[in-house]
């Protein structure tokens, strides 16, 4: 018998409650402390995706996009292709910083039709990725 498990991608930062609220608003979800763990906040999105945000008092933001190829990991947030511009406006209004085309490590401007790159308020990288018609927010494609 397999033990029931849940996987959670956890982002470290100095202010987890603030970053959890950022992702909750961006994903249209909710954020709250993890049961029994005052250092971890959980974000649950509409599709049930969970992201954890953990306090690390010694946190230093990633250096991506400099040096090149230093992104290592990132969140990929899937969005309908016709909503990509609106999703970008929402992310920026919430405090995301666009990673401009031409910055070291970023892709060409033509890539903006399907992908937009950002750093969250704590410096973690994430992308808004357009999905083809018929794919759901929980799809692994895109």
């Amino acid at each position: 018998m397999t033990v029931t498990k849940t996987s959670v991608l956890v982002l470290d930062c100095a202010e987890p409650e603030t970053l959890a609220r950022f992702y909750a608003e961006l994903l249209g979800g909710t954020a709250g402390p993890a049961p029994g763990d005052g250092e971890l906040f959980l974000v649950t999105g509409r599709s049930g995706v969970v992201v954890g945000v953990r306090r690390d008092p010694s946190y230093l933001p990633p250096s991506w996009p400099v040096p090149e190829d230093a992104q290592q990991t990132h969140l990929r947030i899937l969005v309908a292709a016709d909503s990509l511009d609106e999703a970008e406006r929402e992310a920026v209004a919430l405090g995301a910083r666009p990673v401009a085309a031409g910055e070291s490590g970023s892709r060409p401007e033509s890539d903006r039709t399907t992908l937009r790159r950002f750093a969250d308020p704590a410096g973690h990288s994430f992308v808004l990725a357009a999905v083809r018609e018929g794919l759901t927010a929980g799809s692994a494609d895109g």
Side-chain angles (χ1 to χ4, degrees), residues 11-23:
L11 302 173
D12 291 344
C13 67
E15 299 293 331
E17 191 169 3
T18 301
L19 192 60
R21 280 195 309 267
F22 166 82
Y23 278 109

Side-chain angles (χ1 to χ4, degrees), residues 12-14 56-62 120 122-124:
D12 291 344
C13 67
D56 177 356
S58 302
Y59 173 75
L60 294 174
D120 71 21
H124 305 102

